[in-house]
Structures are given as C-alpha cells and as structure tokens.
Amino acid sequence: MSSPRPRANTLIDLHRPKRVTPTALVIPLKKESRDCLRHLARYEAPHSPPYPNSQSAAVLVALFIGRWGDIYVLLSRRSATLSSYAGDTALPGGRVDRKDSSLEDTARREAFEEIGLPIDRRRVPLLCILPPFLARSHLIVTPVVVLITDPTLRPILNAPEVDTLFSHPLASFLHDRAPFPLPSSSPFLPDTALDDVATTASNTKPTVSTLQFPEQDEKYAGPPPPRINPKEYHTYHDMTWGPTKVRIHSFLTGREASGMKPIAGLTASILLEVATIGYGRRPEGFDMESPGEAGRRERIAWEMNRAQRFIDALKREGIKWDWQKEERRERERREATLAATTTTRPRALTAGVTAANDGKGPSDTHLHRSSKPKSRL
C-alpha cells in the first residue's frame, strides 16, 4: 500500500487554485455594491507631503463580495501573546520595510505574512489608496484598498500574530444600527451571526464561507472609548489630540461574548472613510468628526512641528518641507470652512465623491474622477 501524499506545507502550495465547479464562482453583485466598487476604483487621493519612511506604515483593507452580493471587509484579532495591542481587532499591516518599493507593497507584504493573502494583483487587484492617517504611536499609516476576486483563496494565519480572522459588512459603518442581534434581544451573540467568513489560527478551515477570507482590527488603532456599552452597536467619544478634539469611534463586531474587542480607533476611522467614499454618503445617526475637528493633514503637520520622534526622523532622512507653513495653511482653511458652514450640513453626497485635499477625508468632498486607467469592475 502506497504511503499517502504529504500535505502542502508552503503558502504557494496552499494557494494553488482548487478545482471548483463553474457555478461555485458565481457570486451575485448588488447594484449598490457594484457602484461602491466603482467609486473606490475611481478615487484618487490628493498629493501628500514627503513623510519619513522610518515613521510610515501601511494597512490593507481587503474587500470581498459575500453570498448575497454585499461587500465585506476582512478583520482579525491580534494574538493575545503580542507585547503591544494584544487581542485588538485590526487590519493587516505594518511598518515600511527597506525592501518595499511602495506603500502598496508594504500593505500586501504584511497581509501575506499575517493572513496568507497572496501578493497577486490579478486575483487581488488594487482599488485605491487613501490619504494617510495619524496613529497615536507616531506613525503615518496609509490604507491600501483591494478587492479579493478569487473565491477559492483560503486564509493561512500566522498564529504568533493573528488569533482569528473574520469579516464585517462594509455598509454597516454608515449607520448606528447593528447588522446582528444585540444583547437586549438575544442572550448571547453567536460567532457566526453576521459574517460570511470566520476562521481561527488553530483551524484554518472556515466555518461559514463563500469567499474563504476574513479581516483584522488594526495594530495602530487609537485607544477605544473608556467604556463600551454592549447594547449599543456604535459609540464614540471626543478626545484632545493635537490642535483640536478628535472623535474616536467604536463598532461592535457581534462577537463580544467570545472576547472579541470592538472595531475602534484608527481601524474604525479608516473603514468609515472607505465606506463613505464607496457608498457616496455620510453616516446616518452620528457625525464622523467632533465640532471644529482639524483635518488629518493639519494634525500630521502639527505633530511634525512638535513631536521629537518626527523631528528626528525628518532630520535623519534629510526631508526638507516647511511644516509650519503646512500647518498654518491647513488651519486657515479649516477656520474659513467653519466660518462659511451653515448650521445644517448635507447628509448625502453625490456618487463618486472623493476626499478633499485638506486631508480630512470624506467629510469635505468634491467630485473627482481619476485620470489613471483602471480595470473594469
């Protein structure tokens, strides 16, 4: 009797396409989802100042189409054994490596290392790259948005870094209504209550799946609200950060009963912006920013002028930029916008919106169509 064939033990072998029937690859796509992907693919971020590589990082926002044609985002729970942000919900990502040729390369490499997402621009094409975010750990974090188009892909978790991979509906970041039963109407929240995908490092076979990947809450997330109300899907608090107060959001995952932390801080802010750009509207039921909140570009310039870690990095890398002028220009723009803003702010935006060049994100938007050729969705 011949010995059994040894199992694949490399990421390349594990990602080799499996034989599937043609019907298994057919996933319905809702019109709202198709429009969302088109808006993201047409989005082009405004030019950013030269930030120091030693203080830069990138995260991958990996989207996929669920069983009923809705868009989901992959999230993960960081390993409980990590020295920082242990157990947090996060997006795969990390610091820029000297071998990385771009921020997109950084995000893709980190996702490959953490959750086994192949670095394959055909099966995982780029949708867009957002303006950078400022992390509490003095990092400039750039989100890279991609679409997983191959439903045969399977997650391969790096157990020392990631405990669990799961997914969350992207549209649910645009309202304060939970896409799953809250404790007030259910005694517990089952782990498979809302997503298309759920897998753990100890068992890489998904429990429920059409596409076999899930997601993570980011390493560089800011502090969550001091008190989480398990009966409220969305909560927020305003904290002083730089020149103004900044709104910190938190969204329940539906898995809190099993110890999963909410999607909070930087991760929540990133996904809020992705959803706002994609669906072309602002959230219902809450405001994204605190009153008079400075845009990200102003807050980054504020830190560049004051945080010693940034000052040393700029000097070490020989970056010449007038950060005081940058901060002053962004502050004056914010103050002029506040003076001209009426008491009633529009709640819906025209399709195809993009973040304004003040770096604040989708709260200040205008019509913009990228001139770069993009693949048809």
Side-chain angles (χ1 to χ4, degrees), residues 64 85 192 373:
F64 68 91
Y85 303 104
T192 57

Side-chain angles (χ1 to χ4, degrees), residues 46-366:
H47 177 72
S48 296
Y51 299 123
N53 282 336
S54 59
Q55 295 303 122
S56 296
V59 295
L60 197 76
V61 181
L63 307 178
F64 68 91
I65 308 302
R67 289 168 293 181
W68 309 112
D70 296 306
I71 298 177
Y72 286 79
V73 58
L74 295 179
L75 292 159
S76 69
R77 178 170 63 185
R78 285 168 54 79
S79 173
T81 61
L82 292 173
S83 58
S84 61
Y85 303 104
D88 279 5
T89 301
L91 293 162
R95 285 177 175 268
V96 171
D97 188 274
R98 281 182 291 182
K99 297 180 180 179
D100 298 331
S101 60
S102 66
L103 290 167
E104 180 185 350
D105 286 349
T106 299
R108 288 183 181 274
R109 173 182 55 77
E110 287 286 341
F112 178 73
E113 294 173 357
E114 293 181 18
I115 64 175
L117 184 65
I119 304 174
D120 187 333
R121 287 171 171 77
R122 180 179 60 85
R123 290 189 286 172
V124 189
L126 174 69
L127 290 177
C128 64
I129 298 176
L130 301 187
F133 286 71
L134 177 63
R136 293 282 291 172
S137 52
H138 291 98
L139 283 175
I140 307 299
V141 182
T142 299
V144 177
V145 186
V146 299
L147 176 67
I148 302 175
T149 61
D150 186 350
T152 67
L153 295 179
R154 294 178 178 271
I156 304 169
L157 305 188
N158 183 355
E161 294 190 48
V162 178
D163 279 344
T164 305
L165 195 62
F166 66 97
S167 66
H168 199 84
L170 182 64
S172 67
F173 293 101
L174 293 180
H175 51 73
D176 54 5
R177 302 182 304 276
F180 48 80
L182 289 172
S184 58
S185 58
S186 176
F188 62 92
L189 297 177
D191 284 351
T192 57
L194 67 101
D195 67 340
D196 270 37
V197 190
T199 186
T200 63
S202 60
N203 175 20
T204 57
K205 182 179 180 181
T207 57
V208 181
S209 70
T210 300
L211 182 73
Q212 292 153 347
F213 257 95
E215 193 241 17
Q216 160 184 351
D217 181 25
E218 178 181 340
K219 299 176 180 179
Y220 311 110
R227 302 178 68 181
I228 300 297
N229 187 341
K231 295 185 180 182
E232 292 185 16
Y233 167 63
H234 169 260
T235 56
Y236 69 85
H237 74 288
D238 295 343
M239 59 175 289
T240 300
W241 186 358
T244 64
K245 287 185 177 294
V246 176
R247 182 151 296 177
I248 308 298
H249 297 271
S250 177
F251 297 87
L252 298 181
T253 64
R255 299 172 181 79
E256 282 69 27
S258 60
M260 188 75 68
K261 293 183 180 180
I263 303 166
L266 181 57
T267 299
S269 295
I270 290 173
L271 296 178
L272 263 170
E273 178 155 330
V274 173
T276 303
I277 293 173
Y279 292 105
R281 62 179 186 268
R282 293 181 60 84
E284 300 175 3
F286 63 90
D287 290 326
M288 291 177 61
E289 307 88 13
S290 65
E293 179 176 323
R296 298 201 301 273
R297 189 155 171 165
E298 180 184 348
R299 290 193 286 117
I300 291 175
W302 192 93
E303 291 282 349
M304 290 290 176
N305 285 320
R306 295 165 178 80
Q308 193 61 44
R309 189 178 299 182
F310 282 130
I311 294 172
D312 292 343
L314 291 169
K315 182 178 180 180
R316 184 170 58 249
E317 298 181 28
I319 296 176
K320 303 296 183 181
W321 191 265
D322 193 338
W323 293 104
Q324 292 183 351
K325 181 179 179 181
E326 173 88 7
E327 179 185 350
R328 182 173 61 255
R329 180 176 62 246
E330 295 302 319
R331 181 178 66 251
E332 291 173 352
R333 179 179 297 165
R334 169 172 57 89
E335 291 171 348
T337 300
L338 288 174
T341 300
T342 60
T343 55
T344 304
R345 295 165 57 185
R347 305 296 295 180
L349 300 176
T350 306
V353 296
T354 64
N357 59 8
D358 68 351
K360 190 167 186 176
S363 58
D364 298 310
T365 55
H366 60 90

Side-chain angles (χ1 to χ4, degrees), residues 20-27 151 210:
V20 294
T21 61
T23 56
L25 298 178
V26 177
I27 300 175
T210 300

Side-chain angles (χ1 to χ4, degrees), residues 27-46:
I27 300 175
L29 187 62
K30 292 181 178 178
K31 182 183 183 301
E32 182 184 47
S33 298
R34 186 180 299 276
D35 291 342
C36 175
L37 296 177
R38 284 175 175 166
H39 296 162
L40 289 170
R42 292 171 180 173
Y43 175 79
E44 187 173 9

